[in-house]
Tab-separated table of all heavy atoms in Angstrom:
chain	number	residue	atom	x	y	z
A	120	GLY	N	25.339	-61.056	-25.137
A	120	GLY	CA	25.532	-62.500	-25.294
A	120	GLY	C	24.896	-63.312	-24.183
A	120	GLY	O	24.256	-64.340	-24.441
A	121	MET	N	25.026	-62.836	-22.947
A	121	MET	CA	24.497	-63.643	-21.827
A	121	MET	C	22.968	-63.682	-21.834
A	121	MET	O	22.373	-64.681	-21.425
A	121	MET	CB	25.050	-63.157	-20.477
A	121	MET	CG	24.527	-61.858	-19.991
A	121	MET	SD	25.297	-61.400	-18.420
A	121	MET	CE	24.363	-59.904	-18.063
A	122	VAL	N	22.331	-62.617	-22.312
A	122	VAL	CA	20.866	-62.652	-22.405
A	122	VAL	C	20.437	-63.586	-23.539
A	122	VAL	O	19.514	-64.386	-23.384
A	122	VAL	CB	20.293	-61.231	-22.600
A	122	VAL	CG1	18.793	-61.288	-22.910
A	122	VAL	CG2	20.500	-60.406	-21.339
A	123	LEU	N	21.139	-63.519	-24.668
A	123	LEU	CA	20.799	-64.396	-25.798
A	123	LEU	C	20.917	-65.870	-25.411
A	123	LEU	O	20.040	-66.678	-25.714
A	123	LEU	CB	21.722	-64.121	-26.997
A	123	LEU	CG	21.526	-62.810	-27.761
A	123	LEU	CD1	22.443	-62.764	-28.974
A	123	LEU	CD2	20.077	-62.635	-28.198
A	124	SER	N	22.016	-66.210	-24.752
A	124	SER	CA	22.267	-67.632	-24.470
A	124	SER	C	21.491	-68.126	-23.256
A	124	SER	O	21.363	-69.323	-23.044
A	124	SER	CB	23.755	-67.876	-24.244
A	124	SER	OG	24.147	-67.302	-23.035
A	125	GLY	N	20.987	-67.211	-22.439
A	125	GLY	CA	20.189	-67.612	-21.283
A	125	GLY	C	21.008	-67.815	-20.026
A	125	GLY	O	20.489	-68.312	-19.024
A	126	GLY	N	22.278	-67.445	-20.043
A	126	GLY	CA	23.093	-67.578	-18.831
A	126	GLY	C	24.443	-66.909	-19.017
A	126	GLY	O	24.957	-66.852	-20.138
A	127	CYS	N	25.016	-66.394	-17.926
A	127	CYS	CA	26.353	-65.800	-17.987
A	127	CYS	C	27.381	-66.933	-18.058
A	127	CYS	O	27.014	-68.101	-18.200
A	127	CYS	CB	26.580	-64.943	-16.744
A	127	CYS	SG	26.416	-65.890	-15.206
A	128	ALA	N	28.661	-66.587	-17.937
A	128	ALA	CA	29.707	-67.616	-18.059
A	128	ALA	C	29.576	-68.650	-16.938
A	128	ALA	O	29.579	-69.867	-17.192
A	128	ALA	CB	31.077	-66.960	-18.039
A	129	SER	N	29.427	-68.189	-15.685
A	129	SER	CA	29.293	-69.134	-14.571
A	129	SER	C	27.911	-69.775	-14.571
A	129	SER	O	27.765	-70.969	-14.277
A	129	SER	CB	29.560	-68.417	-13.239
A	129	SER	OG	28.785	-67.226	-13.157
A	130	GLY	N	26.889	-69.000	-14.945
A	130	GLY	CA	25.528	-69.531	-14.993
A	130	GLY	C	25.393	-70.642	-16.026
A	130	GLY	O	24.709	-71.640	-15.800
A	131	SER	N	26.066	-70.479	-17.172
A	131	SER	CA	25.991	-71.518	-18.212
A	131	SER	C	26.626	-72.813	-17.711
A	131	SER	O	26.136	-73.906	-18.026
A	131	SER	CB	26.702	-71.045	-19.486
A	131	SER	OG	26.023	-69.943	-20.031
A	132	LEU	N	27.702	-72.697	-16.928
A	132	LEU	CA	28.346	-73.907	-16.401
A	132	LEU	C	27.404	-74.641	-15.448
A	132	LEU	O	27.238	-75.864	-15.529
A	132	LEU	CB	29.652	-73.555	-15.686
A	132	LEU	CG	30.846	-73.202	-16.569
A	132	LEU	CD1	32.023	-72.760	-15.714
A	132	LEU	CD2	31.263	-74.370	-17.458
Side-chain angles (χ1 to χ4, degrees):
Chain A
M121 72 181 185
V122 171
L123 289 185
S124 70
C127 58
S129 50
S131 295
L132 285 175

